[in-house]
Each structure stands twice: as structure tokens, then as C-alpha cells.
Amino acid sequence: MFPHPVTRRQLLERCSIGFGSIALAGLLAEGAEMSTALPGALSQLHHAPKAKHVIFCFMSGGVSQVDSFDPKPMLKELHGKSMPVKVERTQFNNNGNVMASPFEFTPSGESGLPVSSMFPEVAKVADELAVIRSMTSPVNEHAQGNFFMHSGFPMMGHPSAGAWVAYGLGAENRNLPGYVVLQSGNAVAPHGGVSLFSNGFLPAQHQGSIFAADRADAVRNIRPLDEMTRQRRRLDFVREFDSRFLTRAAENAQVEAAIQNSETAFRMQSAVPEVCEISGETQATLQRYGVDSGDPELAAYGRQCLLARKLVEKGVRFIELSCLTRNIGAGGAANPWDQHGELARGHKRMAEQVDQPIAGLIQDLKERGLLEETLIVWAGEFGRTPFSQGSDGRDHNPLGFSIWLAGGGVKGGTVYGATDDLGYHAVENPCTIYDLWATVLHQLGVDHRKLTFRYGGRDFRLTDVHGNVLHPILA
Amino acid sequence: MTLRPTSMDGIPAHGSSWLTSSCLVLALALFSIDGRAETPANEKPAHDKIDFFETRIRPVLIEHCYSCHNSSETAEGGLVLDFRQGLLKGGDSGPALKPGDPRSSLLLQVIRHELEGLEMPSASPRLDKSIIADFETWIRDGAVDPREHPPTQEELAKGPDWAEVLEKRKQWWSFRPITRPSVPPVTQPDWCRNDVDRFILAKLESRQLAPVGDAAPEVLIRRLFFVLTGLPPTLEELELWRTRFNSPAERDITVSQLVDDLLARPQFAEHWARHWMDWFRYADSHGSEGDPDIGEAWRYRDYLIRAFQSDVPYDQLLREQIAGDLLESPRLNETLQINESAIGPAQWRMVFHGFTPTDALDEKVRFVDDAIDVLTKGTMALTVSCARCHDHKFDAISQADYYALFGIVGSCRPGRTVIDLPEVKNTHVTALQNLKQQIRSKVASAWLSALPELTQQAWTPAPGTSITPAGSLFFPNDPTGPESGQSDLSRDWIRNRKQWEEEHQKTKEFLNHPDVQVWNMGLPQEDSHWIPTGTGPELNEPDAAAWTVALTGDQILADFFPKGVYTHTLSTRHAGRISSPDFTAKERQNLWLRICGSGRSVARPVIQHYPRAGTVFPIVTPTEDWKWQRMDLNYWNGDEVFVEISTSLDAPIPTSREERSWFGVRDVVIAPHGVDPPARKFRDAHDLFFDERIPAPASVPDLKQLWIQQMSEAIHAWQSGELSDAQADLLAAGLESRLLPNEFGTLPEVRPLVEEYRRLEQEIPVPQRVPGVSEAVARDQPLFIRGNHQTPSDPVPRRFLEAIDATPYATQQSGRLELANSLLADDNPLTRRVIVNRLWHHLFGSGLVRTPDNFGRMGEEPSHPELLDWLALRFSDHHWSMKQMIRELVLSRTWQLDSFPGSDATERDPENRLLSHASIRRLEAEAIRDSLLQISGQFDSTRYGPPVGGGSNRRSLYVAVRRTALDPFLRAFDFPEPFSSTGRRDVTNVPAQTLMLMNDERIRGLAAAGAASVLQNPKTVNDLEKIEWIVQAALSRSASVEELQFLKQYIDDSWSFQKTQHQLRQQKQETLQQLQLRDSDLLAQARIKLGTSPQKSAPPSAGLVSPVARWNFQNGLQDSIHGWTLKNVNNVMIEGGAARLNGTNYLVSTPLTVPLKEKSMEVWVELETPSQRGGGVLTVQSSSGEVFDSIVFGEMAPQEWLAGSDYARRSKSFQGTPEREAIQHPVHLVITYQKDGTITAYRDGLVYGKPYPVKSLVEFSPGETVVTIGLRHLPAGGNRYFQGRVYLAQLYDRALSADEVATSYRSSTLVETAKRIMSILTDEERLELKQNREQQTQLQADIAALPETEPQMALSVWTDVVGAVFLMKEMIYLR
């Protein structure tokens, strides 16, 4: 009858306390940063990890596979003709004829991986990429597709992959969150809103923290309203009261954690602006990422990529990047790649935005020896139809699309899976989003079936009850 | 062998205590030391052992192990457990067991959870102790296992026998019947205040734990206020109640008085309604792309508040959540004139909805699942949703149970419910019907007597129309109608009759096509099986032709309609929605509707109950003319569909807010592609003329005669209420052509009747709608195999959970009423336990069952099972009164204990499950926000109504719960995402909380407001009083001497800081002045070099228009045209030919002496800072500033120029490019106000953004109109001031044309001058000027933030103190 001893998970579940709370003793030491890593829910990894960080380049709106990484010569042959196979339901039901890609594919790198002319810079690092051409999603609309891509469930309420990673692995840096979402310029949360970055039912410190990469106050309320010395005085004064309260509260662990938490917040005020500051970077680096570009969206995305590297250096576990809209063909702020019309121009302009920065990121990470421990995931929530929508757009296609992984123990220059001759359905080694996250977790040293959280009478996973590690793309 | 509880008689160790099992382990260890483990003393016969395996072991292996460890599919860890050899061989970690030796058997270790990382069954709670004991016995007895071979795949797939599993699982505590325990005896009865205490104390005594003492009065008062109302006591309340705690004897009385006081408050109801909202995941929007409103969701919130206020019994309230719209005797609210009960089902609609899913059934499965999940968790703490794909993994819930409930929920259609009482719904209905009859009688007789005259009139088009009776009736599209005499009437007649016959034939073919489904809406409703809701359709008799009275204008009647369903036969305010029976869409089908309507009514095929519109979910908006409207269903081939037509606000998700909206519908047809209704040339009235029995008229007089005759018959038929469709249309044609007199002027005797009709109609209130569901023909839901909606199996009858009552519901309806009954049935052990546990949770900080949303195997067991049952029964015995239960619990001694644990408890009951003391808990997000508002004196206690933004000062429960944009403050403090039932909120601790309290502008603003109210409070004169006030307001207690000292020190410290800040301000001001001087110097030098002044009068230029006023700041402040002079308020610097406005000063003119309506305002202006919001450059206004037009910067959107006006009446964003240049040099701006209401802005001679129209311009009268420069409008204050330089301000009494604006721009020397001045500066000077101005901007911002005066410093000091108090943990924790 006597209660079971409290497990670590129960403790987290019941009074989930902020980063900083588990290792209370460690917190008291000022100044230490990387040295006081905070353990995650997993007391030990399930196997030796290949990667420690994830950078998720989310291509919101859906990139066309047949225009990016999945060349389909047959589209050229059939261009303008009606689809030779059954056309599945599309979201706009304004289906035209087969539409050839306006882009050319070139075998790139030593591996000869075909990359379309949309991505000339990424093509230069083709030997780092493992392209999955047979990705599928059960969802054909943005919001639910985004939820699915992020959490494995098509609606709000479930933890995002970044939150799972932060929860499972803990933080390497107690002054920065484990899961950071970068935005800059006109970037906003994709359809579905900030709940896409939610901790769901996991403890709240694992939710994605949005950093505005190009703003002085990168995080909400991070800019002190007072001079730091004044603020320090206030906190010290408050601490006098708090410690008396703590005594009255019989050293209640939660109250104690809350008190420590104020200190973390205080330190974040300098840690965040510090990590967001790019003035220390060389001109060559800025150029490589496109930060100095005259194209404002390219420059803004470049800044996110550069910041992603800095966050990796600081030990942040999971970093998600946000595209900026070019306002072409239905691609709005929440779904910039959504070219239901003007696909050729829209995709070209969107690709220009991310091509150089991402290629720069990969090269930079590699030169700094960080690519080995950083897994880059490049994906949209679905692909696009090989036939046109209206005259010059493409509708959503979740039945078969391309994504790629790089770094973090991935076998570069690989192609895995295939779609049919039209690039419509995944036919060879079809993959699910669960497979993707199972693989990502695997590289982080985690068995996706064993990273669970009990909620509402079930042990939930990022991969629900599915998912297989995609070993063929791993080195 | 007494240590072997299972051995002697074969009775298993069910219920054996943990203690016993532990001893058993110990005993086994001894055995093994003795080396006797494998030779038990009394060997059991073999058949007993097999029997033991079959009854105790095999079922457990099947249920818990086979799925992951089998021979055919999955053998995790290389281990198979489905036959003997597999067990013996073992997996990657070696043999699973060693027969006869439990201690060295891996299997036993893993099921005991003794090996970290190998706890089995995985992802499940530990097996029951008795089962573990069985395994131990079995192994010790040699692990007899008759399974020679692995099961076949079929055997494996069959899994365990569900009936057996169910029986076993029903033994779980929460499924067992509620017992009626007696109140236990205690050794210290005096300690107890009520029976609750006896239960608690008995347990404490049995554990030799002593309860701590009572909480101090201050602590108790604060605890009561927060727990019951979610708000802290005010200082007055704190004082009042504190004084009543003088003696222990008074304590009980005082507490019970305070409790009664608090329970009676509306704040109690608000606070507890919010708890309920958590249980039912309340939301104001559906989420996903577009995040549409759950329209009027807030009425449900208000309903809950009223329900808690009046203590509506829980059983009633719960019944209403499920089926409040179906209750025979609903709860009526006579004050609000509404049916309260009908609001409850709004909870069904709080589901998340995706955006235009291409798989609509998948979406339905998801949102029905959402509803089932919330319902079963919320009311019974069962995770029924876990049984969607298979029988529940742990609980007594089958997959069939899930689909039984799915049938109920999935049979209900998303809709809207009108909640007005019948008498409100029927406001004036009888009177209007009577008036209609009188109007009919008068109009009909007037028409009949007018008929003969009509033949005399020329049938030419009526004034203002192009319709003649001939044109509209007989020869459509024929310009040479009979009246023209140019055609041969009888030939045309015959030709037309032939076409008419063809059209009729085609219509007939269409409607009688074998593959066409037709609903003739002109038949009685019961024949069509359509479901009408609202008020309009209920009033309308579809099998009679209808007509309407004109509700505005000079006309009497509005229209006549053929038989059909209408919502507006009396009023366009009446609500209406009708929906068809379900059907399955087939390939290549169209939905055709013959409808009309107005006010954005909508018609649509509803696919799989999905309520939103968009892309592949089409809608049509009917028009006032009858039309066949088509919607293609091909896309939805195979999906279940019904047709729905509704007035604007009655669509399940309204797409507009039109209060007056109506529709009419005659036919609804599902037809294959290609089978279309004919294009219509003829109207219904033609049927009266082309009847073959009627000879073709030979001449126009014949035709007129025929027309008169038909008209006469139609009018008679109308009089007697027997109007046919064709006759109704003939009368309609008579109205359209204005041939029938239908105006007040011609029928003056009808006017009073119509006016009375309109008066009464105006009084019909707009129906109050809430989100709801409606009943249709219910259907059992086929079970989806493995939860896959593409593999339906047999339908499961609609019923309750089989663990409680598996009898199918005998109803044609969904079964919601029956479901409510099942939830509340006496033999349902869950509902009552769950609600009393929820109440307990919110009162004590955690429940007797600490998993309030899960009473299943994965939840926790109750700490005090007897007490829980005792409370459950007491609750229902006492009329399910939540207030009474809450009252009883808080009046217990247990609840009122101090929170400081005794030393015994810290050691032996660290989680305080035995309640020897009160538990410390953090306040909920809402209570934190509400406290901040109350302490700062900003609290707005307004109750009820539509949701507000987080920036409002209303209580947090009124803040909108928008799924894609939850309030950041509330979210930071764990406000739940509205996604599932939340009985226990997370209490997390993230830096965002401190950052919010420390750095958020709004929180700082609240601290400042709190400081201001302390400073102004006459009761808090000296520092000590002020400190006392703040501490008491925030912490509901007095400060200790030591704390007072700290505070005093802090205040001193803050004062000295402020003084340095003040000095800093002075320094900065000096620096600023120097910079400004240098700035002017640079410009002046440049001008001297140029030999020009910026406003040297421009050379006369062709096309330049004279203004009515002109200020150029060259020669003082007088206008150079009329001599209107500007008054300088607060020292505007006039320098370098510009008025330099600093954000605190402005110029205001003497009254204008000419009127202004059509006008143009022109300025040359330069910005001091681009970040300013709302400053006015040039304004024309009434003397008071009440009415104004102004050139404003950055008000609606940052950095945009705007035509500002009073309450934005004539303002709309031009959507112009954000201003980036005016910071470097002056720009030219003109806003013109054209006579037709068009407002146009020009910047540097070009149109700025988009012009827009307004309804009318303001007339500014001479003598009552003034101009301000640098102020949006009078009176001065706030963000109305402008910061920057104005070089020229001109006013015109007409709207300049684009050319004139361009000319004015070009001809100004200013543009030239600005460029030239810049050009004449050296690079260094230019850089200096740029930096100088940047510094000035920064300095000004700095200075504005620094204290100037003593009161300002005081405010800063006390803001600092209040801000610090806001950061104290004590403020957000409850002791």
C-alpha cells in the first residue's frame, strides 16, 4: 500500500522542472556552462551515438520532388498529356496534365547524385547527402501535415521531434534551451502555429524556443528592462524573501527549483544575445552563408544557418530553421514553398533562398569537424504532384516525395527508395515519417521504441507504434 | 511451510500483501541455501500442475507476452514464449527460466522489474502481485508446460479470450461497485471536524503518523480565497476576516462564514467553471490552417459560470453536456430567456479540425475520436480512445466498446442550436401572421378591383425597370413583343408554347431520370426525411406557396414563392438550417439545388460531417433569383454525404456574421454528370398560359384578357390560401413588372398594417445560437479492423461499455440521452468517483487518485479507497451538489492543516499521500495573471461575453483560447493546450516564466500601475505603510521585522539609483542640446553656401493651385493666405525653416474662417524617428478634436502613412510601402478627400498605396475648425504627438488631382533643396549629420525613460519594489 518510490520519470511528469532543476547542486556554480550538462530522461543511451545534434531544415509548404532530387525523364516525354495513371484526390482538385520539370538534373559530386539546377550550391556537397526518394505522409494538407511531420500525429497536443530529443538526451548547455526554432525576416510558424514546436505532454522545458535570429531581442522578453546591475540587485533582494519562503515551505523541491530557475533566466539574458551575435564571424564566413547577400530573404536564411552552427557549438540539441516567403503562387508566410501556381519561378526563388546558406552550413560544419556529430534533416511536409495544378503550379503530393539527410553518420551520396516513373507514388522501399524519426533517434543513440512518456494511459513515442531505422542510408 | 501461501490448498495468493511476497522471496533464498529449492516437500500431482499452468500461466503469457515474443512474427530479444522449448532456450540474455529455481529465473526478475531496462511487459504497469506470485509458484513447481508446439498463426491472431480478459480486468478497483464503507473509528475523535477527518485520521493513526496543527489564519484566508475563487483577498477583506480569528472558539464559525461568503461569489463560479473547461478542453477556435472560430463558444463558458453560481447538480450538468438539447424538461433561464440545457452539447464541438482534408473519413474518425477521448476521460477517467485499433491493452474496454460509442457520437451532425425560449423564438409570430392575413385581404381586394384598369394601360416597362408583363412572361428575349405590333402574336405564341413544352419535357426527363435522386422540398417535411432546425423552417409550411412582406422601402409585398422550404416567411431574422438524409456519393455525380436566398446563407454537401468549407469542400451562396446551383460530387465518390442549407449564422461554422439572412429551396437533386436541368427560358407562370386547353390569343387585347383572367384567378387563390406554384409566380411577375399596385402611394389603406408589421418584425430578437450537434437517422458504426478506416467490419450496436452494461440502446436517435443515463446509472462505479476525485484534486492540490484523468490500470490507485467511495455516495445522495461537497471538504480539519510537515511525515510519507499536512502548490496560470491585475489595481471584474485578448484587464478565463495562438503569458504558466481532458495541469518551471515577470512590458506596466496606486493611496503615506500595503496585497500577510528591514534597504538603494538616473538624464539632455545645435549649424552652413533658404518662394509654375492656408515657417507662424495664426504649445522650435516637433509639443491654429469638406492636406515632413506610432503631422479638426482628418504616421501599421480620423471612421490602411527615407530628408505628402468619398494619399508626387472610398466626408464649419501641426488631434496627449520636422503645411478646399499633386511636388524647392543641402555637405559632414541624428534619436529615447522629477523618481522606486514583489515565489505559491 505504501507508495512506490518516485521514479525520475514520475518526478518529471509531476513537477516537471526547468532546465537547471535536476542538477540543483550544479546550478549553484556560477559561470560553468558546458561542463554542467543536464541529463535527459534516458539514464544512458541505448547504443553508441553517431550524432549529438540535429538541424532540421524544414521546407514549409512542400518542395516538389520531381524538380529537386527525383529526376523523372518520363515527365518530359508525357509533358502536356493527361496522366497515364489514376489521379488520387488532391487538395484543390484542379488537376492538369503531366508537367515536366522546368529544371535540369546534373549528376553531382563523386557519387554522381542527381541534383536539379534549383540547387547548384547544394549540388557541390552532394557527396554528403543521403536522399530518400520514397518518403510518404498520410496527410495532404499543411497544418495536419506539419503536425505529422513534427510529431508523428496529425493534430496538436503531441510533442515535437525536437522536444522528444531534448527530453531524451537532456541539455549540454544549461543556459540555452535544448530545442530552438530559428526565425528571421518575414518567417513565421508554419500552418498549425507554434503548437508545432510544442512539448505536448512532455515537461515544458523541452518546448521549442523561438529565436528571432536577426533581432536584438531574439527571445520573447529576453531583453532586460533594467540595467543588469539593477536587475541583479532586484533578484538578490527577491532571493532574500524566497529563501525565507523556502524555509517556511519546508524546502519544498518545487519551490527550490523555481528559485533556481530565476537564476537560469537571469543568465539566459546574456547567453542568448551572446550566441545570436555574429559580429565575431569573419567576412569569409558571412559570405559563405550569404549573410551579406543583397537578397534580403537569402541573407535572413543565411543568418539562421550561421546561427544554427553557433547553437550546435553551444550544445543545443535540436535546431529547426524556418523558410521565408517570396510570395509566389500561394506560398505565403506560413507555407513559402507552396507553389500551387508559378511553380518554376516560385521554386527557383525559394531554392535561391536556401541553397547557398545550407551548402555553406554543411561546408562550414565539415571544416570545423562538426558535421560528423550533427545530423541535418532537409524535408517539407509533403511533395508535389507530377501533373500540373492549373497551368503552371503543382498541388500537394504526400504519396511519394524526397527528403535528405546529411552528416551525423549518414552515408553521403546515397539514394534510397524510389517513386514510380512519374515520381508520383513511392514504389521502392516506401518510407514513413516514423522511419525518418526512428533513424534520427537511432543516430542519436536512442532506440525509438524505448523513448517513451506515459500520458493518458499510454506510453507514447515519437514514432507512435511504428517506425523502422533506415539502415541502408547509414554509414 | 506456512510461508508458501499458494501451496497448501491451491488457493492462489490473490490479495496477499507485498509484505508477504517479500517474505516469500526471503524464504526462497533460504531454500536455495539449503539446497532444497528443487525438491519441495509436498510434490503436487502432475495434473494439478497442468491445471495450474492452464488457468494461471498460459492466459497471462497470451495476454501480455505473445505479441512481442512469438514464433511466427516477432521475437524481440530473440525470445519466444509461445511454447515450452522457447522458454527453456531463452533469448539473447540466456534462458528465461530454470525450472524449480525461481531465484535464477530471468523471467521472474523481469516481471518483477528488478532489471533496469528490461521491465516487462514493456510499456505497461507491473503485473499484479498475485500473478507474479503465480509465476513464482509455477517455476518452483518445475515450470510444467504442456505446450509442445508453437501456436499456429490463426491461434496466435485470436489472442486471449476477451470474455475472460474482461472478467479479470473488471476486478480492477475502479470497475468494482462502489462500496458503502462505514466511517472508521479513531482514537482522537475530538480532532475531527467531520467524517472526512475520521477517514484521514484513521489511516494516519494506523501508520502512527500525527497530523500537524492548523494553518495560521492568514494562511488559511489566502488558501480559501485562491482555492475557492482563484483570486487573492483584497486588503480590506484580509483585514476583515483576520480580525474575526481572535479566539480558537470563533475559528470554526469564522471559517464557515468565510467559506459561505466565497462560495456565493460569482468569482467562485468563474474559477470553478475554468476547471470544468479543462476537463472538456474548452477552445474558441478549431485550430489548423485558418483557425476558424467555434462561433459563440463563449456562451458555453458563460453557461458553466451560471451553472456553478447556482450550483446546478452535477448529474444535471453532465446530462446536459451529452444531450442537453434533447431533454424533455430542460433547465430554463427566465431572466436570460434561454434554454440553458441546450448549451451543454457545445462541448461536442470543441474538437480540433483539420483544413480541407482530402480524406474526409479519416478526418471524421479523428474528430470523433477527439470527442470520445474527452468524454470518457472527462467523465469516467477512462482511456476508451486507446481501444480504437484493438481491445484496450490494460483496461476492461473492448474495441467494440469504442465503436459502440463511435456510433453515438458519429451519428450526430455538427450544427448550431438556437437557445432562445419558445416565447422568444415566437416573438410576435401570431401577430405577424394575423397582420399578414389582413394585408393579404386588403391587397388582394385592391388588386381585384384594379384589374380591369390594367388592361387599359400600355404594357410598357414600369419606371426604373425594363420588365413588362409581356417581356417577362411571354416573349423573353424578343424585342418585338406583342405590344410593338411588329410580330405575329399567334405564330409567336405557338412557337413559344412549343419551346415551353420542350423545356417541360426536359425538366421532367431530368427529374424522372432513373439515376437521379430527387427531393421535392415542396412536400411535407416528414415525406422528405429532411431535418429542419431553427425557427424559420419550423414556421414555414412547405406544401403551400409562400409570400413575404417588404421589410423596408415603399413597397408593400416583397415576393411570392412556390412551394418549398423558406426561412423568412415572417422575418429575415429567423434562424434556419435543413439537412438531408445521408447518402453515399458515387462516381461522376452532381448535386443540384434549386434555391434562392440572401444575406450570405449557404448550401453545401457535407462530406463525412466535416464542417468547414474550402478547396474541395464546396459551398454555394444562393442569390435572390431562383437558380439551379450545381456542386460536383465526383471527388467525394464513395464518401458519405448529406446536403445542408442554412442561414448565415446557422452554418456549423459560420462564414459571415449577417443577422438577416434567408434561403428558399424547391428541389435538391443528385444526378449523374451529363444529366442536367435544362437552361430555363420560361418561368412557372407560363404554365398558366401554355396549357393546351387554352387557345392561343389572336390579338394583344385577347392576350391582355387572358392575363387578367389568370391574374384574377391567382389573386382569388391567394386569398383562399390555395395558391399554386404557377399562380405564385404570376403574382411575383406582377410585382416585378410593377403592374400590380404595390406601393404605399397607390394602396394607402395598407400602409398602417405594413408599418405595424415592420415595427413588430424589428422587435424580433436576433436568435442566440451556440455550437451544437443535431440528431439525424442514427446508424451503428462498423468496427474498423486495426483502427484502419479503410477496413470496416461489422457494425457495433450503439451502447455503453460492456464492462458496465452492454445492452444495445433501443432508439432511432443517436443514443445520447441513453449515454447520459448510462454515465449516471447507479451501477456505473466510475462517474461519481471521478467527479469527487476531481473536486478533491482542485481543493487539495492532488486527488485521492493522483491521476484524475485515468482510473485505469495505467493510473494510480486511490490512497484512501474507502473515503473515495464514501464521498462518491455522499455526493450523489446529496443531490450531486458540487458546492456542498466543496464546502464539506474545505471545512474538514484535514483541509485546514498547516503545510509544514512533521518530521515523521517527511521521512515516512514524503509525498503526503496520507495528508498529515497541507500540500504546497503553485497557483494556476489564470490565478497568477488575475492576481497581478488585482494587486496593480487594474482588475476589470466585468463578467461574461465574447472572449478578449490577453492584453485586456479582464479575468483570464475570458481571454480567448485560440488554438493556433494561445496567450503567451498563460501558456508560460502551463495553461493547457486544448487537446484532451486535463484534470491535472502540469506545474513546470521554465525560464520563460521569470523572463515574463521580469522583462515583459505589460507586467512592468502593471507594476507601475500598482506603484501609482500605492503612491496615490491616502492610507499609505509613509514608506512603512506603503511597504505593508504591497506585501499584504501580494502575499496576504504582514511583513516580518526582518523583511521590513530588507525592504527599507532596497528602497533606499532604489532611491539612490534613481538619483543617479536623474543626473544621467540631465547629462544626456545637455548632450542632446549640443547635438541639436550642431545639427542646425551644419544645415545653416550648407544653406549659406547654397545661398538659398528652403522656402524661397517657388517660381510660379503652370498648373499650381492656390491653397487656402500655407505655413512655411519662414516668417513666423502666420498662414500666408488667410492669416490664420498658429499658437506654439510647449515650445516648438522653429529653426532652419521648419517646425521641429519633439513628441511633447505642437502648434494649433486660430479657427478657420472658411468651410472645408472636399479638401487636400499637403506637407513636407521629416521624421525624427521611424519607430513612432500615431503622431499627427497636419490635422483639420473640430475645436474639441472630436472630429478630425489628419496625416498620421505609423498608427495602424508601423511606418505607414495614414489618413487618420476620429475612431478610424474614415481611416483604412493605404497598404503603402513602409516609410524608410523620411528619416534622412523631407518627403512630400498629400492626402486628398474627394467629393465622392475617395481618399487618396500621395508621397513624393506619386499615389501612395491604394485609394479607398468612405461613405461620406465631414463638413468642417468655419469658426469651429482648427488646424494642428504635430498633433493627431486635440486634446493633446498620449501617442498623438509627432516627432520630426515640418517644413511646409498647406491646405486646399478641394481634392487635388494626381497631376496637380505631382506639379506641386516638382515645383517645390524643398525637394531640390534637401538634395542639394545634402550634396553640398562634405562626406564627413554628411556622416556626422547622420550619426548626429542617430544619436539624437537614441538620446531622446533614453531621456524619455529616465526620471525627470521627484514624483517620477518615486514612481520608479515603487515600480521597482512592486516589480520585485511580482518575482517573489511566495506570490505564486499557496501554502
Side-chain angles (χ1 to χ4, degrees), chain B residues 445-482:
Chain B
S445 46
W447 281 355
L448 284 173
S449 51
L451 272 185
E453 288 167 36
L454 296 181
T455 53
Q456 309 306 316
Q457 289 179 19
W459 286 11
T460 51
T465 80
S466 59
I467 304 164
T468 68
S472 65
L473 272 183
F474 304 119
F475 305 102
N477 313 321
D478 186 351
T480 61

Side-chain angles (χ1 to χ4, degrees), chain B residues 89 191 235 297 301 326 399 427 474 522 554 638 702 797 918 922 945 1063 1153 1245:
Chain B
K89 180 171 148 279
W191 182 85
L235 288 182
R301 177 243 288 143
L326 305 174
Q399 195 185 0
T427 301
F474 304 119
D554 288 339
D702 275 4
R922 203 198 67 203
Q1063 283 162 4
T1153 49

Side-chain angles (χ1 to χ4, degrees), chain B residues 1081-1103:
Chain B
D1081 270 6
L1082 281 169
L1083 292 180
Q1085 284 166 18
R1087 286 196 186 103
I1088 290 162
K1089 278 192 221 162
L1090 268 177
T1092 172
S1093 67
Q1095 287 302 308
K1096 203 173 74 174
S1097 54
S1101 166

Side-chain angles (χ1 to χ4, degrees), chain A residues 2 18 89-91 141 244, chain B residues 355-356 635 639 908 989 1042:
Chain A
F2 210 74
R89 286 177 179 178
T90 56
Q91 210 197 14
E141 63 111 333
R244 275 169 178 68
Chain B
F355 174 70
T356 65
Y635 185 91
D639 273 298
R908 288 171 24 221
N989 225 320
E1042 204 183 13

Side-chain angles (χ1 to χ4, degrees), chain B residues 1109-1131:
Chain B
R1110 172 185 173 87
W1111 290 279
N1112 64 10
F1113 308 108
Q1114 294 294 304
N1115 322 304
L1117 293 174
Q1118 207 175 50
D1119 139 51
S1120 56
I1121 317 280
H1122 283 95
W1124 301 327
T1125 304
L1126 296 170
K1127 187 175 124 193
N1128 190 333
V1129 182
N1130 286 345
N1131 196 20

Side-chain angles (χ1 to χ4, degrees), chain A residues 170-192:
Chain A
E172 283 191 339
N173 182 330
R174 67 205 167 97
N175 293 340
L176 291 171
Y179 172 23
V180 170
V181 178
L182 293 177
Q183 294 177 346
S184 56
N186 64 31
V188 300
H191 282 305

Side-chain angles (χ1 to χ4, degrees), chain A residues 197-393:
Chain A
F197 319 131
S198 173
N199 54 298
F201 37 72
L202 296 177
Q205 73 266 31
H206 304 304
Q207 69 187 252
S209 296
I210 297 176
F211 280 28
D214 50 0
R215 290 231 308 267
D217 40 354
V219 171
R220 195 184 176 89
N221 297 317
I222 199 71
R223 187 155 52 178
L225 286 182
D226 311 278
E227 286 184 5
M228 290 296 251
T229 50
R230 189 68 219 144
Q231 197 186 58
R232 185 66 256 170
R233 287 211 174 224
R234 181 175 306 145
L235 287 175
D236 290 345
F237 163 68
V238 169
R239 198 170 182 125
E240 292 292 346
F241 269 73
D242 282 353
S243 54
R244 275 169 178 68
F245 178 63
L246 184 61
T247 310
R248 270 198 295 270
E251 312 296 324
N252 181 290
Q254 225 184 67
V255 175
E256 185 168 356
I259 293 170
Q260 299 305 339
N261 200 264
S262 297
E263 294 301 319
T264 312
F266 179 77
R267 286 195 304 268
M268 267 181 83
Q269 294 177 125
S270 36
V272 170
E274 199 182 296
V275 74
C276 292
E277 181 56 56
I278 59 165
S279 58
E281 300 291 328
T282 64
Q283 194 55 36
T285 303
L286 298 180
Q287 233 160 24
R288 158 178 268 174
Y289 281 91
V291 175
D292 59 349
S293 165
D295 172 342
E297 281 90 34
L298 193 168
Y301 195 80
R303 195 164 174 132
Q304 289 184 37
C305 286
L306 175 54
L307 203 44
R309 187 211 80 209
K310 294 192 64 180
L311 291 171
V312 162
E313 288 170 331
K314 290 284 181 189
V316 172
R317 288 286 181 195
F318 195 105
I319 303 137
E320 177 164 346
L321 274 50
S322 314
C323 292
L324 292 82
T325 181
R326 303 277 207 181
N327 283 313
I328 303 173
N335 50 335
W337 280 92
D338 199 23
Q339 270 81 55
H340 288 279
E342 283 194 88
L343 178 114
R345 188 169 78 91
H347 265 40
K348 179 165 183 292
R349 296 282 289 141
M350 284 307 299
E352 278 168 12
Q353 176 189 129
V354 303
D355 183 40
Q356 182 193 342
I358 291 178
L361 172 65
I362 292 175
Q363 285 157 344
D364 196 19
L365 286 174
K366 192 164 187 183
E367 281 168 23
R368 288 167 197 258
L370 289 168
L371 189 59
E372 289 166 21
E373 60 178 57
T374 306
L375 180 57
I376 301 177
V377 178
W378 181 96
E381 66 270 37
F382 35 58
R384 309 201 79 85
T385 54
F387 49 90
S388 71
Q389 174 180 350
S391 60
D392 60 358

